[in-house]
Amino acid sequence: MFGYRVPAPDQAMLISGGRRGLAGAPFRVVTGHGTFVLQIFRKVRFLTLAMCEAEVAETCVTKQGIALTARAVIAFKVGNDTESIVNAGQRFLSDQDQMSVLTGRIFAGHLRAIIGSMTVEEIVTERQKLATEVLDTSKAEMAKIGLIVDSLQIQSIDDGDTGYIAAMSAPHRAAIQRQAQIAQAQATQAAAEAEQQSARKQAEYARETAVVKAQYTAEVDRAQAQAAQAGPLAQAHAQQEVLTAQTELAQRAAELRQQQLVAEVVKPAEAEAERIRVLALAEAERMKIQAEAAASHDRVALDRMLIDQLPQIVKEAAGGLAGANVNVLNGADGLGEIAAGLVSQGLTILDSVRRGLGAPEGRVERDGEPAGGE
């Protein structure tokens, strides 16, 4: 007999058959919670509190007498307060779809009234103003039937075949087209400049690449040329070093040959010349001794014998030099010293022979001096 009923979150539960509701309403309103309902003596109905939508397409005449077709969409719902639910329930509980129909008619009327007080220019340029005025004028009327409007959107305004809006927008279209053309020209110019700049950069890059390639090719060619010349240069350098060494060797051989010639030819010739000079000096000394011996009566025989033997003695002494390799260090002065030494040796031998034969000590006269003691 008793049943517990709970409305949905977007519903209002209306209970009739018992005590009256607020302000003498024929039902009680329950939202957000459940309650026990005596099913035999009470009747329960539900009213939607969800969002609803209504569309309007109305032909209106402006202040200028120009017919416009306005299309709008209205979003509305039953108010959440008990008074709004009671008002809506009394009007729409049996046919809740009528809320959209009635709302569309209400807004269509207000839309005709508002558009009739405005010009086409105001309607086109101030569409939000139109929507606001329609909402404001319909708010009180919608509240009477328990509905509130969340939003009103003017979808389109069309003048049909009159062409007024098109003519009105022509200057703006021309200005927009002009601006578009200017923008297009600027964009084309910018694109051309960008293309030229890109071409310049590509040309510069190509030039730099060509320069780098030429430098690289030149370096490669130079390295190859140096590598190709390295062998002949090294060979020529080696040949030059060989020639230098051969030249030095030839110079040393010439110096050695010169020394050999001096030892083999010059020195023996000089020795022979010295020997001849010594013989000449000895002969002169013999002649001198003969002259002196002729002047001395008591030593004639002995001196004659010595004089006769002196050339042989000197010859023997000089013969010892014939095969000798005499090194003359001071040229003519050196030869003179050697000759003087030989003569001195010959005279010394002569004195020794005389003493061996028992002759009194003395020496042969030299350079005009008489023999005798000191």
Side-chain angles (χ1 to χ4, degrees):
M1 178 178 263
F2 287 96
Y4 193 80
R5 305 295 296 272
V6 179
D10 59 347
Q11 289 180 339
M13 186 169 62
L14 307 181
I15 304 173
S16 60
R19 56 185 179 86
R20 291 183 174 273
L22 181 64
F27 50 79
R28 290 186 298 116
V29 178
V30 178
T31 58
H33 60 86
T35 186
F36 287 99
V37 178
L38 186 60
Q39 296 182 1
I40 298 176
F41 302 100
R42 303 287 185 270
K43 190 174 183 178
V44 177
R45 301 287 297 274
F46 294 93
L47 178 67
T48 180
L49 301 179
M51 180 67 65
C52 300
E53 182 180 289
E55 294 184 359
V56 176
E58 190 70 18
T59 301
C60 310
V61 179
T62 67
K63 184 178 180 180
Q64 301 157 309
I66 298 173
L68 298 177
T69 300
R71 291 180 174 82
V73 176
I74 305 101
F76 67 93
K77 65 182 292 297
V78 177
N80 292 327
D81 58 288
T82 304
E83 183 180 359
S84 297
I85 294 174
V86 170
N87 291 336
Q90 288 178 340
R91 291 169 175 80
F92 307 110
L93 186 59
S94 60
D95 189 3
Q96 298 185 32
D97 292 336
Q98 286 296 317
M99 288 189 293
S100 297
V101 176
L102 182 58
T103 299
R105 291 175 180 174
I106 292 172
F107 273 88
H110 289 291
L111 193 60
R112 284 194 301 270
I114 299 300
I115 288 177
S117 64
M118 299 175 67
T119 64
V120 178
E121 289 78 5
E122 292 175 343
I123 295 170
V124 172
T125 58
E126 300 179 6
R127 188 174 295 186
Q128 186 59 39
K129 177 182 177 182
L130 173 62
T132 302
E133 290 185 3
V134 172
L135 283 175
D136 290 341
T137 55
S138 63
K139 185 179 296 183
E141 188 173 354
M142 293 290 288
K144 288 180 182 180
I145 59 177
L147 302 177
I148 58 176
V149 180
D150 286 342
S151 67
L152 170 64
Q153 295 293 331
I154 306 297
Q155 289 183 322
S156 64
I157 296 175
D158 187 11
D159 62 351
D161 297 333
T162 60
Y164 188 91
I165 296 178
M168 183 181 66
S169 63
H172 300 285
R173 287 201 306 270
I176 292 173
Q177 289 178 355
R178 184 171 58 253
Q179 292 176 356
Q181 292 174 354
I182 293 173
Q184 182 64 34
Q186 292 176 350
T188 303
Q189 182 179 0
E193 292 177 354
E195 186 176 358
Q196 292 176 358
Q197 185 175 3
S198 177
R200 284 196 299 269
K201 288 183 178 180
Q202 290 179 357
E204 291 177 358
Y205 177 77
R207 180 179 60 80
E208 293 177 356
T209 303
V211 170
V212 172
K213 289 177 65 176
Q215 292 177 350
Y216 176 76
T217 303
E219 291 179 359
V220 171
D221 294 341
R222 185 165 53 252
Q224 291 178 350
Q226 291 177 354
Q229 295 175 357
L233 288 176
Q235 185 176 2
H237 184 67
Q239 291 178 353
Q240 183 178 1
E241 291 181 351
V242 170
L243 291 175
T244 302
Q246 290 178 349
T247 302
E248 293 178 355
L249 181 60
Q251 290 177 353
R252 292 178 181 176
E255 292 176 357
L256 180 60
R257 182 57 182 164
Q258 184 178 5
Q259 292 177 359
Q260 290 177 351
L261 290 174
V262 169
E264 295 176 358
V265 178
V266 176
K267 295 299 178 62
E270 291 178 352
E272 181 63 22
E274 183 63 22
R275 185 180 68 82
I276 293 171
R277 193 174 72 85
V278 168
L279 290 176
L281 290 175
E283 183 65 22
E285 187 67 21
R286 186 181 69 82
M287 296 296 292
K288 182 179 179 182
I289 292 173
Q290 284 180 346
E292 290 177 354
S296 178
H297 298 287
D298 57 343
R299 298 291 298 168
V300 173
L302 180 59
D303 288 340
R304 172 62 62 182
M305 182 182 61
L306 291 176
I307 289 171
D308 291 337
Q309 295 295 325
L310 181 60
Q312 184 64 31
I313 294 171
V314 175
K315 182 178 180 180
E316 293 295 331
L321 295 174
N325 187 5
V326 182
N327 292 324
V328 180
L329 300 179
N330 297 326
D333 294 335
L335 291 175
E337 291 177 359
I338 293 174
L342 291 175
V343 173
S344 177
Q345 291 178 6
L347 295 177
T348 302
I349 294 171
L350 181 59
D351 290 335
S352 298
V353 172
R354 293 175 63 184
R355 284 195 298 270
L357 295 176
E361 294 182 357
R363 58 186 179 87
V364 181
E365 292 180 356
R366 300 176 185 174
D367 299 329
E369 295 180 1
E374 294 178 359

